[in-house]
Amino acid sequence: MNSETDVLIVGAGPTGLTLGIDLARRGVPALVVERGETLTPGSRGKGLQPRTLEVYEDLGVLDETLAAGGPYPAGMIWADGRQRGEQAMFDPARDGEEGSRFTAPWMVPQWRNQEILRARLEELGGTVAFGREVVRVDQDPDGVTAHFATGEPVRARYAVAADGGRSTIRRALGIAMTGEPVDPNPLLVADVRITGLPRTWWHIFPTTGTDTGTGFLAICPLAGTADFQLVAQFPEGTDIDLSLAGVRKVVAERTHLAPEDVTEVRWSSDFRPRAALADRYRAGRVFLAGDAAHVHSPAGGQGLNTGVQDAYNLGWKLGAVLTGRAPKALLDTYEEERRPVAAYVLGLSTAIHHQRARRGPTTRQLGLNYRESSLTQETRPTPATLHTGDRVPDLTTNGTRLFDHLKGPNWTELTLEDDLFLIRPDGYVGWAGKPGMATELLEEYKARVGF
C-alpha cells in the first residue's frame, strides 16, 4: 500500500467507492481503506433511486447494476394466513415526467452494489486496502497523516471520512451529530432463505396489536438473488436474537409459516432508527460524506443514495483543486451544497417512517437542486424553465440523448433555445446567460470553478 496519495478515503461502502471511482477517472491518486477484511455483507440499503441510477450511468456501472437487480414488487398484505390485498409501494410515475429514463427505484442488495463499484474502481486502476482501521488523523497546513491499528501511516493531501454512522474520524475531529431517535422500537433486519412464500410480492404482516408486544414483519424478495430481506419491529428495550432460532421464532409468531420454513440466515443485524446530521461537513483537510455526515431512517430509501451523491459532488471539486484548475475555495461549497440537501432528506425519511408522506417523486431525488448555492450564477434577465442550480433533464433531440454528451468528468458548454448553459461535471446547471453577453462574468466564473 502506498504511503502517500492525494486523497485518502476511509470506508469502502457505496459512498467511499463512488468517490474512489470519480477521482480515478480524473487521474487523481486516491486510496480507499476499509477496516474490515472484506466488503460489508448484507442487503442493508437495497434501493437505488432514479437520480443515483443517472450517476451510475455516468460512472460506467449502470449496465452491471441493472443486470444485478430488478424492480420492486407490489406489497401483499397478510392476515390470519390469508392474502388481504395488494398495496402499491410507490406513488406512480409517468415515463419522462421528470426528464429521466428512470421512473422508480431499482433494487440491488447493498453487498452486490458494493461488488460492482469495487470492480469498476479496480478497472480504473484504483484499489481497496482491507484490514486498515484508522485510529488517528493528524493535520498540518499541507496535508493529513492517517495512523492505523496496524501498519504504516498514510500521508494524503486530503482525507474523506466515509466510515459510517459511528464514524471514528468524525468523533476524533470533535464534530457533533445533531438529531434524535426516529422510533424507540428496535428493528431486526436479516437476509434469509425462506420456503413457502412466492417471490411475486413484498410480503407485509401488520402488527397484531399492542397487547401482544409484537410489531410488524415484512419479507421482501431480494432481486437478483435467492434471498429475502426480513425486517421485524420489536418493543422498546427488546434484546433481539439474531440467530437462526431467533429469526425462526419471530417468523412463526407473526406469520402462517412454520419455523423450519426459514432455512438459512445469511446475515443479520439490529438497529434503532434515528435521524442525525453532522454539525459540520469539514474540519481542515478532512471531509465527511455518507452516513458519517447524516444518518436516516431506512424508510424511503434515501440514506445510501444521499451518500453516493455526496461523493459525486465532492469528487469533481477535489479533482479541480488537486489538478490546479480551481482555487481551494471551491471545496468550501461542498458543505454549502450537500448539508441542506441532507437536512431536507432527513426530514423526508422521518415523515415516511411515520407515514406522514409517501414514496414517490420526492424520494426519486431528481428534483433536488443547488439553486441557492454560491456556485450558481444566473445572468439572464428572464430565466426559462431550466434554472441555474437545477439538475439537467435527459432531453432527446433528433434521436440523440443530451446525457450522452454530458458523460465524463468535465464541464459542458451547451447552447439551447438561445440560452448558454455551463453544465457542471455532476450534471447541474452552474451558469446561464445569453451567447455573446456577460463575457467577463462568464470568464470569471470559469476560472472560479476550474472549467
Side-chain angles (χ1 to χ4, degrees), residues 166 185-189 240 269-274 296-298:
R166 297 182 175 91
N185 301 310
L187 294 174
L188 161 70
V189 58
I240 298 176
S269 181
D270 64 325
F271 67 98
R272 187 173 68 172
R274 61 188 295 258
H296 308 244
S297 160

Side-chain angles (χ1 to χ4, degrees), residues 402-423:
L402 175 57
F403 274 26
D404 288 338
H405 295 285
L406 299 183
K407 282 183 181 178
N410 301 312
W411 284 78
T412 302
E413 193 167 316
L414 173 69
T415 301
L416 184 67
E417 294 182 0
D418 296 326
D419 285 333
L420 175 64
F421 299 99
L422 296 189
I423 312 301

Side-chain angles (χ1 to χ4, degrees), residues 10-12 15 39 70 76 90 122 144 217 252 258 309-310 346 382 393 402 445:
V10 183
T15 299
L39 294 174
M76 174 58 70
F90 307 97
E122 292 176 346
V144 179
L217 173 71
Q309 291 165 58
D310 287 344
L346 282 169
T382 53
L402 175 57
Y445 182 85

Side-chain angles (χ1 to χ4, degrees), residues 267-308:
W267 167 84
S268 61
S269 181
D270 64 325
F271 67 98
R272 187 173 68 172
R274 61 188 295 258
L277 181 63
D279 293 350
R280 293 180 288 142
Y281 272 31
R282 181 182 184 183
R285 289 178 170 266
V286 182
F287 299 86
L288 306 183
D291 287 355
H294 43 80
V295 292
H296 308 244
S297 160
Q302 300 295 284
L304 181 155
N305 294 272
T306 303
V308 165

Side-chain angles (χ1 to χ4, degrees), residues 281-363:
Y281 272 31
R282 181 182 184 183
R285 289 178 170 266
V286 182
F287 299 86
L288 306 183
D291 287 355
H294 43 80
V295 292
H296 308 244
S297 160
Q302 300 295 284
L304 181 155
N305 294 272
T306 303
V308 165
Q309 291 165 58
D310 287 344
Y312 198 50
N313 181 290
L314 182 58
W316 74 264
K317 294 173 181 177
L318 280 169
V321 171
L322 287 168
T323 55
R325 299 195 314 274
K328 293 178 181 179
L330 178 64
L331 297 175
D332 295 334
T333 66
Y334 168 65
E335 177 178 327
E336 176 193 350
E337 293 185 340
R338 294 304 301 169
R339 194 171 182 277
V341 167
Y344 166 77
V345 172
L346 282 169
L348 176 62
S349 298
T350 301
I352 294 171
H353 185 101
H354 293 298
Q355 300 183 2
R356 298 193 303 266
R358 287 199 65 192
R359 303 171 180 89
T362 54
T363 57

Side-chain angles (χ1 to χ4, degrees), residues 104-362:
W106 193 252
M107 187 194 302
V108 180
Q110 185 169 325
W111 64 264
R112 183 70 183 107
N113 181 12
Q114 291 171 168
E115 287 182 346
I116 292 169
L117 293 171
R118 180 191 177 188
R120 177 58 173 156
L121 175 63
E122 292 176 346
E123 180 183 29
L124 293 169
T127 188
V128 178
F130 291 101
R132 298 289 276 162
E133 180 183 2
V134 177
V135 295
R136 191 175 90 244
V137 172
D138 299 327
Q139 296 193 62
D140 57 56
D142 299 317
V144 179
T145 302
H147 301 269
F148 300 87
T150 60
E152 296 299 315
V154 170
R155 178 75 174 170
R157 295 170 68 183
Y158 293 96
V160 179
D163 53 343
R166 297 182 175 91
S167 172
T168 298
I169 295 179
R170 184 191 67 237
R171 295 179 181 187
L173 293 171
I175 298 177
M177 291 279 276
T178 301
E180 59 186 6
V182 172
D183 195 324
N185 301 310
L187 294 174
L188 161 70
V189 58
D191 295 350
V192 299
R193 294 283 174 89
I194 290 182
T195 62
L197 283 180
R199 299 184 65 83
T200 315
W201 297 292
W202 187 338
H203 304 276
I204 301 169
F205 302 86
T207 178
T208 56
T210 56
D211 59 329
T212 66
T214 60
F216 75 87
L217 173 71
I219 303 175
C220 180
L222 287 169
T225 77
D227 300 344
F228 289 81
Q229 184 191 67
L230 179 150
V231 178
Q233 185 184 53
F234 293 83
E236 183 178 7
T238 300
D239 186 11
I240 298 176
D241 185 349
L242 302 178
S243 70
L244 174 60
V247 173
R248 282 177 164 174
K249 183 175 185 290
V250 72
V251 168
E253 288 177 344
R254 303 187 191 185
T255 79
H256 58 280
L257 299 173
E260 58 268 21
D261 288 332
V262 181
T263 60
E264 184 180 358
V265 173
R266 301 173 64 80
W267 167 84
S268 61
S269 181
D270 64 325
F271 67 98
R272 187 173 68 172
R274 61 188 295 258
L277 181 63
D279 293 350
R280 293 180 288 142
Y281 272 31
R282 181 182 184 183
R285 289 178 170 266
V286 182
F287 299 86
L288 306 183
D291 287 355
H294 43 80
V295 292
H296 308 244
S297 160
Q302 300 295 284
L304 181 155
N305 294 272
T306 303
V308 165
Q309 291 165 58
D310 287 344
Y312 198 50
N313 181 290
L314 182 58
W316 74 264
K317 294 173 181 177
L318 280 169
V321 171
L322 287 168
T323 55
R325 299 195 314 274
K328 293 178 181 179
L330 178 64
L331 297 175
D332 295 334
T333 66
Y334 168 65
E335 177 178 327
E336 176 193 350
E337 293 185 340
R338 294 304 301 169
R339 194 171 182 277
V341 167
Y344 166 77
V345 172
L346 282 169
L348 176 62
S349 298
T350 301
I352 294 171
H353 185 101
H354 293 298
Q355 300 183 2
R356 298 193 303 266
R358 287 199 65 192
R359 303 171 180 89
T362 54

